[in-house]
Amino acid sequence: MSRLPVPLAPWRAALVSHLEAMDSPTFVLSSLHHELDDAATASTAQWKGETAAYSPRARTVVYRGMWAGLTSNPRNPAPRNPNTYQTDLLTITTDVRMEKVSEMFTGPRAFASPPETLASCAGGPVEGVIWAAHATTQWRIRGRVYMVGPDINSDAAQPVRQALEPYMRRQHAGNIQAGAEANTWEWARELTAHFGNLSPVMRGSFRNPPPGTPISQPPGPGLGLGQKVENLHDEVARRNFRVLVIVPEQVDQVDLSDPDRGRRWRYDLVTTGNEATWTITELWP
């Protein structure tokens, strides 16, 4: 039984407006780090139901827009998908070789060797914390994460597409470009558009030496700091480039803009059968 489209999130408009008003739309994203020395051993222990030690990890990431809704950027040389869908799914970009990937994607496929061969897959729970100083509002986004990689159009990546599609609400026909070709939305095109939305210097960072490895180790062929990438299909950079899509399941909003009466709401995504709805509970701040 296929899932019905997830309705518009009641928190979306306020969150997007806060993010777009920030000089630098960054937020803190947390995950769990396996303490076992060998990542494959940690995965095996988890799937056997054994207890593994974890510790929290957090990093600052850049909000790259809602999935399927990149904002217009005249400097982006990549072909763009039509404005067909609207989602509530926050996106960030990452180098697949970074530690946060192995922390967020703990299934058997997540420990690919070398890591740049890791394909599109579902990940685990994450939490993002956003402080919108101009609005004196804090947001907590709790949910799960999915990886979109270069294989996203393949049969193997179908579970990822199926997991995200219910959140991709088709917009009014008036917002869709005319013409059959323009109305064709493609997953791989969206991935390339995210890569093109980065500056040449940022694209070049995906040709850096493996993040976190000792500087005494040779970086490998074609790798090095300070590179600029103009080619949207640069083999090395695209092999390391991924988009992470956060699917919110619970959102906590604390509005402290009124010093005399702070307000707080919790939004929960409740799924019953093949239908999903958002519930709203007002809390003491």
Side-chain angles (χ1 to χ4, degrees), residues 153-213:
N153 281 351
S154 70
D155 291 342
Q158 184 177 6
V160 173
R161 299 195 303 271
Q162 288 180 333
L164 299 182
E165 282 171 350
Y167 299 89
M168 298 169 64
R169 297 178 297 274
R170 183 174 287 273
Q171 299 197 85
H172 188 273
N175 294 329
I176 301 175
Q177 300 174 28
E181 182 179 352
N183 286 332
T184 302
W185 195 95
E186 296 181 1
W187 292 80
R189 183 188 295 150
E190 191 72 6
L191 180 65
T192 299
H194 271 272
F195 186 69
N197 215 38
L198 304 176
S199 69
V201 171
M202 277 299 301
R203 293 178 218 147
S205 69
F206 294 94
R207 295 184 64 109
N208 282 353
T213 57

Side-chain angles (χ1 to χ4, degrees), residues 35-53:
E35 289 296 341
L36 296 182
D37 292 334
D38 181 64
T41 303
S43 179
T44 301
Q46 181 185 22
W47 286 96
K48 287 183 177 179
E50 300 172 359
T51 301

Side-chain angles (χ1 to χ4, degrees), residues 18 36 39 41 64 66 97 116 121 129 156 171 191 213 218 259 262 276:
H18 288 177
L36 296 182
T41 303
R64 301 295 183 183
M66 294 292 181
R97 301 168 297 169
E116 56 264 32
C121 59
V129 179
Q171 299 197 85
L191 180 65
T213 57

